Amino acid sequence: MNKFDKLTGIAAPLPLINIDTDMIIPKQFLKTIKRSGLGVNLFDEMRYDDDRNEIPDFVLNKPQYRDAQILVAGDNFGCGSSREHAPWAIADFGITCIIAPSYADIFYNNCFKNGILPIALPQEQIDILMKDAEKGANARMDIDLEAQTVTTSDGEVFSFEIDSFKKHCLMNGLDDIGLTLEKAAAIDSFEATASQSRPWV
């Protein structure tokens, strides 16, 4: 998993509440167990018509937001089912930070396991960030995980809270496997001792 420290990028505004995981990645794309390749189907039913043509009005289809790395969204983002394909699709598209008033718990935790920083801020601050994102590609936001700040293109700074353990994992690029490998020496020592004391196992 890539380390997350600082990010300066284009923010796409998606002012919808209750965006569920089926909207993020519809059920027909859940057959794969690969984390790559799902970005093209992110928000599939909002991005494409029945003939698979892009819907021009959808934010991620607009030229100024095709390279967005930040998503500013409405309340209760990631609700619905617990499918981990949702953060897979978001990350594969290139978005590594989401800013919203609140998140569904499972989705929120899955973000950290997939290198995505989900930031929760009060609605009044989200409103300011949404307007900033509406400026397009010329307005870039700064995310500083170490300082726990979001800075608008106009220099307005908002602070956010984050669990210290989750912050450590993101900044060091540690998913569940990476956390386990940090204990590799202790695991090897335990296995060696166990095989000597119980050679029949």
Side-chain angles (χ1 to χ4, degrees), residues 177-192:
I177 294 173
L179 285 168
T180 302
L181 290 176
E182 280 194 320
K183 307 295 184 183
I187 293 169
D188 290 343
S189 176
F190 172 83
E191 292 290 344

Side-chain angles (χ1 to χ4, degrees), residues 5-194:
D5 182 9
K6 295 180 180 180
L7 170 65
T8 297
I10 299 166
L14 191 61
L16 300 175
I17 64 171
N18 301 320
I19 295 176
D20 64 35
T21 51
D22 191 57
M23 294 169 67
I24 296 170
I25 184 74
K27 58 186 179 300
Q28 62 267 31
F29 303 110
L30 303 185
K31 297 175 183 177
T32 182
I33 57 171
K34 295 181 180 180
R35 298 187 184 196
S36 60
L38 290 172
V40 69
N41 302 119
L42 177 66
F43 298 117
D44 194 86
E45 293 176 358
M46 290 190 280
R47 283 173 72 189
Y48 306 104
D49 63 23
D50 292 340
D51 296 319
R52 303 302 298 167
N53 298 309
E54 288 188 352
I55 298 172
D57 289 342
F58 183 66
V59 63
L60 297 182
N61 289 337
K62 295 180 179 180
Q64 62 268 41
Y65 296 113
R66 287 186 180 273
D67 296 320
Q69 295 173 278
I70 303 164
L71 186 66
V72 183
D75 200 27
N76 197 28
F77 191 91
C79 57
S81 72
S82 60
R83 63 189 69 168
E84 195 170 1
H85 292 70
W88 291 359
I90 290 169
D92 192 62
F93 180 87
I95 293 171
T96 54
C97 179
I98 305 168
I99 309 174
S102 69
Y103 301 85
D105 287 343
I106 295 175
F107 175 84
Y108 182 80
N109 289 315
N110 280 340
C111 281
F112 288 100
K113 296 178 181 180
N114 289 281
I116 300 169
L117 172 61
I119 296 173
L121 289 173
Q123 185 63 56
E124 58 268 23
Q125 295 180 4
I126 294 294
D127 292 341
I128 294 171
L129 293 171
M130 196 74 72
K131 288 185 180 299
D132 194 48
E134 289 170 357
K135 296 176 183 177
N138 293 325
R140 293 175 177 263
M141 290 184 191
D142 292 313
I143 312 296
D144 188 329
L145 179 53
E146 176 64 31
Q148 297 178 204
T149 58
V150 178
T151 305
T152 70
S153 63
D154 295 325
E156 191 167 1
V157 181
F158 301 117
S159 297
F160 62 89
E161 297 298 320
I162 185 172
D163 175 80
S164 59
F165 175 71
K166 289 181 170 64
K167 178 179 179 179
H168 167 79
C169 290
L170 265 187
M171 294 195 69
N172 291 280
L174 298 172
D175 57 11
D176 289 345
I177 294 173
L179 285 168
T180 302
L181 290 176
E182 280 194 320
K183 307 295 184 183
I187 293 169
D188 290 343
S189 176
F190 172 83
E191 292 290 344
T193 301

